[in-house]
C-alpha cells in the first residue's frame, strides 16, 4: 500500500496477515487507535516514509502496537520521530529487527529499548543523536548489529556498550567524534568483528592508545576520512585478528617502524590519500599475510631501502604506489616480492 492517504481497519478476513507494508503514506501518530487491532499473527510491519512523530503509549503506540506480540521486524525509516518511550515497545518481546534510521531523534533517554530482549539488529543512523549514554543499550544483550552512523555524536560514555557482548558490527561513521575514546569505551565488545569509525574528526592523542584493548576479535577497522596525523606504535597491539585496516584520507605524514607488527593476520592495508613523505625501515614488519597494500596518492618521492617490503615477500599480491612523487626506486625494491601480480606506479586518472 503506497502513496495514498491511509485509512485502514482490520477486518476479520485479514487477521492471518504475516507481513504488512504501508510505505510512503500519510500515517500520523494520532491515528485511530483501533486500526491495527486484530493483527495478532503479523511478524513484519513496514511503515517507511510516513508522518509518525512520537513513539509512546499516547500517540503512535495506541495506533500501532496494541496486540502485536509476534512482531519480529519493524521498519520506521524516514518518518519524523523525535521521541521514543519504552512503553511503545512493551509488547514487542519477540522483535528481532528495528529500523529507526532517518528520523529526528536527538537523545535516547529513559532506556527506550529495555523491553526488546531478543533484538538483534538496531538501526539508528541518520538521526540527530549527540551523545551515547551508558543507559541506552543495557537490555540489548542479544544485539548483533548496531548502526549509529550519520548522527552528530561527539561523545560516548564509558561502558556504553558493556551489555552488548554478542555485537558483531558497530557503525559509528560520519559523526562528530574528535577522539576514539579510551580503554573503557568499547568494554563488553569482545566478539565485535567490524568497526566503522570513518568520516569523523578523529585525531590520535595519547590517551587513545589503549582504546582497542577490548577488541581482540576485530577483523575490520575503518578509520577512513578522519584527521589522524600520527599513529602510536601501541595503538593496534590488541588487534591480532584484524584482516582489513583502512587509514586512507587522513593526515599521516610518516609511518614509524613496527607500527603494524602485531597485525599478524592483516590481509589488506589502505593508507592512500594521506600526506606520507617518508616510511621508516621496518614499518611493515610482521605483516606476513598482507596481500594488498595501497600507498597511492601520497607525497612519497623515493624508496632507498631495498628491505622495506621484505616481510611481505610471500604474501603481497597488489602494491599501489601510484599518484605519488617518486623520483628514485632502489633497483632491488621489489626483488623479494615473488608473488606480486599488480604493481601501480603511474599517476591514476580521476573518473
Amino acid at each position: 500500500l503506497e502513496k495514498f492517504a491511509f485509512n485502514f481497519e482490520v477486518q476479520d478476513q485479514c487477521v492471518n496477515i504475516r507481513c504488512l507494508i504501508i510505505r510512503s503514506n500519510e500515517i500520523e501518530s494520532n491515528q485511530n487507535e483501533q486500526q491495527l487491532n486484530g493483527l495478532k499473527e503479523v511478524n513484519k510491519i513496514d511503515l517507511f516514509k510516513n508522518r509518525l512523530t512520537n513513539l509512546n503509549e499516547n500517540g503512535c503506540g495506541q495506533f500501532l502496537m496494541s496486540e502485536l506480540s509476534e512482531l519480529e521486524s519493524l521498519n520506521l525509516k524516514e518518518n519524523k520521530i523525535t521521541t521514543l518511550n519504552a512503553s511503545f515497545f512493551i509488547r514487542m518481546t519477540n522483535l528481532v529487527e528495528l529500523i529507526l534510521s532517518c528520523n529526528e531523534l536527538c537523545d535516547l533517554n529513559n532506556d527506550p529499548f529495555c523491553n526488546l530482549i531478543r533484538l538483534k539488529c538496531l538501526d539508528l543512523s541518520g538521526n540527530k543523536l549527540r551523545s551515547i549514554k551508558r543507559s541506552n543499550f543495557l537490555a540489548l544483550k542479544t544485539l548483533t548489529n548496531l548502526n549509529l552512523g550519520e548522527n552528530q555524536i561527539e561523545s560516548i560514555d564509558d561502558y556504553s556498550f558493556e551489555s552488548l557482548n554478542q555485537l558483531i558490527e558497530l557503525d559509528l561513521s560520519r559523526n562528530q567524534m574528535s577522539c576514539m575514546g579510551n580503554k573503557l569505551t568499547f568494554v563488553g565488545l569482545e566478539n565485535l568483528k567490524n568497526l566503522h569509525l570513518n568520516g569523523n574528526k578523529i585525531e590520535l592523542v595519547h590517551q587513545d592508545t589503549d582504546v582497542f584493548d577490548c577488541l581482540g576479535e576485530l577483523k575490520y577497522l575503518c578509520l577512513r576520512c578522519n584527521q589522524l596525523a600520527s599513529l602510536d606504535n601501541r595503538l593496534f597491539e590488541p588487534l591480532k585478528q584484524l584482516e582489513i585496516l583502512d587509514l586512507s584520507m587522513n593526515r599521516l605524514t610518516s609511518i614509524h617502524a613496527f607500527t603494524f607488527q602485531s597485525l599478524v593476520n592483516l590481509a589488506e592495508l589502505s593508507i592512500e590519500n594521506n600526506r606520507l613523505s617518508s616510511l621508516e625501515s621496518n614499518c611493515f614488519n610482521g605483516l606476513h599475510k598482507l596481500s594488498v597494500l595501497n600507498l597511492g596518492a601520497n607525497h612519497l618521492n623515493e624508496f632507498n631501502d631495498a628491505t622495506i617490503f621484505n616481510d611481505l615477500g610471500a604474501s603481497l599480491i597488489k602494491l599501489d604506489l601510484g599518484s605519488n612523487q617518486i623520483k628514485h626506486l632502489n633497483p632491488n625494491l621489489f626483488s623479494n616480492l615473488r608473488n606480486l601480480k599488480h604493481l601501480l606506479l603511474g599517476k591514476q586518472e580521476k573518473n
Side-chain angles (χ1 to χ4, degrees):
L1 300 173
E2 295 192 20
K3 295 186 178 179
F4 59 87
F6 182 73
N7 186 11
F8 172 75
E9 294 186 10
V10 175
Q11 306 297 324
D12 291 342
Q13 62 267 31
C14 298
V15 295
N16 292 321
I17 288 176
R18 297 291 192 274
C19 178
L20 180 61
I21 300 174
I22 318 173
R23 300 167 67 98
S24 302
N25 279 277
E26 300 179 4
I27 297 176
E28 299 179 352
S29 293
N30 60 357
Q31 204 82 25
N32 182 347
E33 65 180 83
Q34 301 300 318
Q35 285 190 330
L36 293 186
N37 281 353
L39 290 183
K40 296 181 180 181
E41 302 298 321
V42 70
N43 55 41
K44 178 178 180 179
I45 292 179
D46 187 338
L47 290 168
F48 167 78
K49 208 170 185 178
N50 278 278
R51 296 182 180 179
L52 302 175
T53 55
N54 300 311
L55 301 190
N56 56 55
E57 71 277 16
N58 296 317
C60 181
Q62 289 185 336
F63 159 65
L64 184 58
M65 294 303 134
S66 56
E67 299 179 358
L68 303 178
S69 59
E70 298 302 312
L71 195 65
E72 296 180 0
S73 176
L74 176 60
N75 184 359
L76 297 171
K77 181 179 180 180
E78 283 196 39
N79 278 271
K80 302 180 184 297
I81 299 167
T82 59
T83 305
L84 297 178
N85 191 293
S87 60
F88 174 76
F89 302 109
I90 195 166
R91 293 184 178 88
M92 298 189 204
T93 54
N94 287 306
L95 200 67
V96 174
E97 178 185 50
L98 175 59
I99 302 173
L100 287 162
S101 55
C102 302
N103 278 283
E104 299 178 15
L105 293 168
C106 294
D107 59 59
L108 300 173
N109 292 335
N110 303 318
D111 196 9
F113 309 117
C114 62
N115 298 304
L116 304 182
I117 57 175
R118 292 181 175 83
L119 197 68
K120 291 185 178 296
C121 299
L122 175 59
D123 189 347
L124 290 163
S125 62
N127 279 280
K128 300 177 181 179
L129 301 174
R130 292 186 176 276
S131 63
I132 300 300
K133 305 298 184 184
R134 186 176 181 179
S135 61
N136 291 159
F137 308 118
L138 288 176
L140 304 183
K141 299 181 186 300
T142 60
L143 202 67
T144 60
N145 294 77
L146 175 58
N147 191 345
L148 294 166
E150 293 188 84
N151 277 277
Q152 301 168 20
I153 297 170
E154 297 177 350
S155 63
I156 300 174
D157 284 359
D158 293 349
Y159 301 106
S160 288
F161 306 116
E162 185 178 20
S163 300
L164 308 184
N165 55 22
Q166 298 301 312
L167 202 68
I168 294 173
E169 183 151 8
L170 174 59
D171 192 337
L172 288 163
S173 65
R174 290 165 289 182
N175 278 287
Q176 301 295 319
M177 298 165 57
S178 59
C179 69
M180 288 180 279
N182 58 58
K183 65 180 180 181
L184 303 179
T185 302
F186 297 117
V187 166
L189 301 182
E190 58 265 22
N191 291 306
L192 194 70
K193 298 294 191 294
N194 303 317
L195 177 58
H196 306 262
L197 291 167
N198 48 295
N200 279 278
K201 301 177 180 179
I202 296 171
E203 304 175 67
L204 181 62
V205 291
H206 179 70
Q207 59 264 35
D208 287 338
T209 56
D210 54 6
V211 68
F212 299 134
D213 280 6
C214 301
L215 304 181
E217 295 300 314
L218 201 67
K219 292 184 180 296
Y220 173 86
L221 174 60
C222 187
L223 285 161
R224 179 183 177 90
C225 294
N226 277 285
Q227 298 176 15
L228 294 169
S230 63
L231 299 173
D232 190 282
N233 284 8
R234 297 168 292 170
L235 180 62
F236 302 119
E237 278 185 3
L239 306 181
K240 292 179 173 55
Q241 302 302 317
L242 198 67
E243 296 176 358
I244 300 175
L245 175 58
D246 191 345
L247 294 165
S248 57
M249 301 184 73
N250 277 278
R251 300 177 179 178
L252 300 171
T253 57
S254 64
I255 303 294
H256 300 301
F258 308 111
T259 296
F260 307 115
Q261 67 174 346
S262 63
L263 303 180
V264 293
N265 285 297
L266 198 68
E268 297 183 20
L269 175 58
S270 299
I271 323 179
E272 78 273 17
N273 279 289
N274 275 272
R275 302 174 183 178
L276 295 177
S277 58
S278 64
L279 300 171
E280 291 187 10
S281 297
N282 303 313
C283 66
F284 300 119
N285 273 31
L287 300 180
H288 299 291
K289 293 186 178 181
L290 196 71
S291 59
V292 177
L293 175 58
N294 192 339
L295 294 167
N298 278 285
H299 301 156
L300 299 168
N301 53 42
E302 60 183 15
F303 284 84
N304 292 319
D305 182 1
T307 68
I308 194 169
F309 298 131
N310 274 7
D311 273 20
L312 316 181
S315 61
L316 199 65
I317 295 172
K318 180 178 180 179
L319 175 60
D320 187 348
L321 297 174
S323 297
N324 276 282
Q325 302 168 12
I326 299 173
K327 297 178 181 179
H328 179 262
L329 293 175
N330 188 298
N332 297 313
L333 182 64
F334 309 121
S335 60
N336 193 49
L337 301 178
R338 51 190 177 273
N339 289 312
L340 192 67
K341 291 181 172 59
H342 305 279
L343 175 61
L344 289 77
L345 289 171
K347 185 176 181 179
Q348 297 180 19
E349 297 294 330
K350 294 182 179 180
N351 293 327

